[in-house]
Structure formats: C-alpha cells, structure tokens
C-alpha cells in the first residue's frame, strides 16, 4: 500500500507478486534474488545482499502501491535479478536476516546494489565485465552529508545513500567483515538496521483486493 506522509511500514508482506507468480518474500523471493545476483558469494556477503535486496523491493513497493500486489515484480538488471531456484545458502541468508531493512533517519533507503568490479586478493580492483563499478560507493566511516550517493539514482534523493558492490562485498566478507559492517562500508556508518514484523497472511486474492483498494482510496503514490 502507499505509505502516508511521514510514516514507514512496520510490517513486511508475507508474499509478493512476481513475474514467476506469488512468492514468499523471505523464503523464496529474497533467496532467489541472492542466487540471481551473486550465487557463490561468501555467507556474510549473501546476508548483506539479502538485506539490500529486501530493502530495495520493499522501498519500491512503498513508492508504487500496486507493485508486488497487482503489478508483478520484474526480474532483470533494471530492477533485481531473481533466479528460478535459490539453494540452501541463499535461503539461510534470507531467514537469518528475516525482516531486516535499511533505513536512514527512519526511512527506507533505495539500497541500490550492482556487481561492480572483481577484487583481487591484495584488495586492488580487478576486471569490471559488467561496467558497473562506476555506480559503487565507498562510504566506510562516513555519516550524514558526507555519505556519497550513487549516480545510479537521483543524487539529491534523500533515500540515495550509495550503492553496494557485490564482488567487493564478497572480498570484504573473506577479510572477516560481518554483514552489518559490509553494509556500512557501502551505505555509511549511520545506516539503520530496522526489523519489520511479519504481515498477516491475506492470500493472493486478498492481496490483490488490498492493492486495488489502496489505489482507490489514496489515489496517488506518496514519494519521499
């Protein structure tokens, strides 16, 4: 549903509508995104990616009230890639971080994430076959206005707190970083970890009707 001005959702939907049908948010959708984006990442990098992916989709659903309810969530580089299957490690990353989203000053961030360049064992940059390193931000130790936004989104957007690089996250995890430290490395030291409660199960028809009702009552999406 659309979130009233000044408010953030306190619950996460149990299911979301995707181009692959209705999927459990934390048991299917998020794990499939982790698999689709970086299947062979270190477990801590997978956990960080699970939180970023969950935040990304829920922020998008907040801004577009039909998305994930009556409009299917797409899979692709323009949104998030989710694979047909996930795997035990990806499910574990999602369930371990279930309900956790990233916020700044009480609002969900955009949580952009891309592959970025590979990192060599010595910590230097390797190849960048996807040409996405240009979007990655390095915000370790930065707070407030010092946090560097990514050019992948409008730089003046208050939710733009940078962009995670998946290959760099894997390298950081191999150096002993946990998922929280990894996320702060890209999104800033003042990023907030907020745990949403699980929403009530309404069923597919109920969620469809809920989305339609939200549109009818609210009329437009509130963007902040």
């Amino acid at each position: 549903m659309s979130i009233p001005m000044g408010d953030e959702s306190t619950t996460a939907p149990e299911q979301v509508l995707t181009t692959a049908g209705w999927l459990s948010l934390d048991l299917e959708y998020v794990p499939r995104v982790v698999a689709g984006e970086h299947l062979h990442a270190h477990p801590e990098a997978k956990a960080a990616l699970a939180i970023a992916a969950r935040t990304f989709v829920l922020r998008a659903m907040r801004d577009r009230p039909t998305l994930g309810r009556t409009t299917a969530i797409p899979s692709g580089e323009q949104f998030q890639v989710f694979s047909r299957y996930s795997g035990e490690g990806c499910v574990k990353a999602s369930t371990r971080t279930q309900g956790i989203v990233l916020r700044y000053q009480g609002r969900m961030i955009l949580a952009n994430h891309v592959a970025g360049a590979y990192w060599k064992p010595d910590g230097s940059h390797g190849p960048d076959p996807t040409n996405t390193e240009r979007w990655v931000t390095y915000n370790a130790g930065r707070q407030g206005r010092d946090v560097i936004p990514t050019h992948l989104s409008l730089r003046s957007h208050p939710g733009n707190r940078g962009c995670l690089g998946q290959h760099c996250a894997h390298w950081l995890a191999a150096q002993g970083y946990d998922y929280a430290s990894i996320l702060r490395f890209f999104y800033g030291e003042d990023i907030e970890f907020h745990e949403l409660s699980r929403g009530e199960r309404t069923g597919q028809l109920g969620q469809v009707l809920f989305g339609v009702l939200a549109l009818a009552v609210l009329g437009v999406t509130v963007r902040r």
Side-chain angles (χ1 to χ4, degrees):
M1 65 177 177
S2 179
I3 305 302
M5 189 76 72
D7 290 340
E8 284 284 333
S9 177
T10 59
T11 61
E14 185 170 328
Q15 294 179 311
V16 291
L17 178 62
T18 74
T19 51
W22 286 93
L23 300 177
S24 164
L25 175 66
D26 282 308
L27 297 180
E28 296 177 291
Y29 177 74
V30 170
R32 289 194 194 186
V33 173
V34 175
E37 294 283 353
H38 203 174
L39 176 61
H40 301 295
H42 186 284
E44 290 298 320
K46 283 182 177 177
L49 181 55
I51 294 173
R54 183 182 300 110
T55 305
F56 184 91
V57 72
L58 292 182
R59 172 69 201 224
M61 289 174 65
R62 196 204 85 164
D63 291 343
R64 295 173 55 193
T66 64
L67 185 67
R69 300 177 178 90
T70 60
T71 301
I73 295 169
S75 176
E77 294 180 359
Q78 299 301 314
F79 195 76
Q80 296 186 130
V81 176
F82 63 85
S83 65
R84 187 173 180 181
Y85 304 105
S86 55
E88 182 179 354
C90 298
V91 173
K92 184 176 180 180
S94 182
T95 55
R96 176 187 172 196
T97 63
Q98 185 168 345
I100 298 176
V101 295
L102 299 173
R103 289 182 173 185
Y104 174 65
Q105 295 185 340
R107 300 184 187 280
M108 277 190 290
I109 67 168
L110 299 178
N112 288 296
H113 57 90
V114 296
Y118 285 94
W119 278 49
K120 298 178 181 179
D122 64 0
S124 61
H125 283 179
D128 178 21
T130 59
N131 192 31
T132 53
E133 177 61 29
R134 54 188 169 148
W135 309 125
V136 179
T137 57
Y138 299 100
N139 282 310
R142 294 178 178 270
Q143 299 185 47
R145 294 183 178 180
D146 290 334
V147 168
I148 303 169
T150 177
H151 288 279
L152 190 57
S153 298
L154 181 67
R155 287 174 60 83
S156 61
H157 193 298
N160 186 347
R161 305 298 291 173
C163 179
L164 177 147
Q166 294 159 13
H167 293 306
C168 179
H170 173 72
W171 184 87
L172 291 171
Q175 309 312 305
Y177 282 63
D178 62 14
Y179 71 75
S181 298
I182 292 171
L183 291 166
R184 292 191 181 102
F185 188 88
F186 297 105
Y187 300 120
E189 293 295 324
D190 51 1
I191 203 69
E192 303 158 6
F193 295 82
H194 180 81
E195 186 172 353
L196 300 172
S197 60
R198 297 178 66 181
E200 294 182 4
R201 183 181 180 87
T202 58
Q204 297 179 15
L205 178 58
Q207 292 194 39
V208 170
L209 293 176
F210 184 81
V212 173
L213 179 61
L215 278 179
V217 173
L218 297 174
V220 296
T221 306
V222 175
R223 295 181 181 271
R224 285 292 296 248

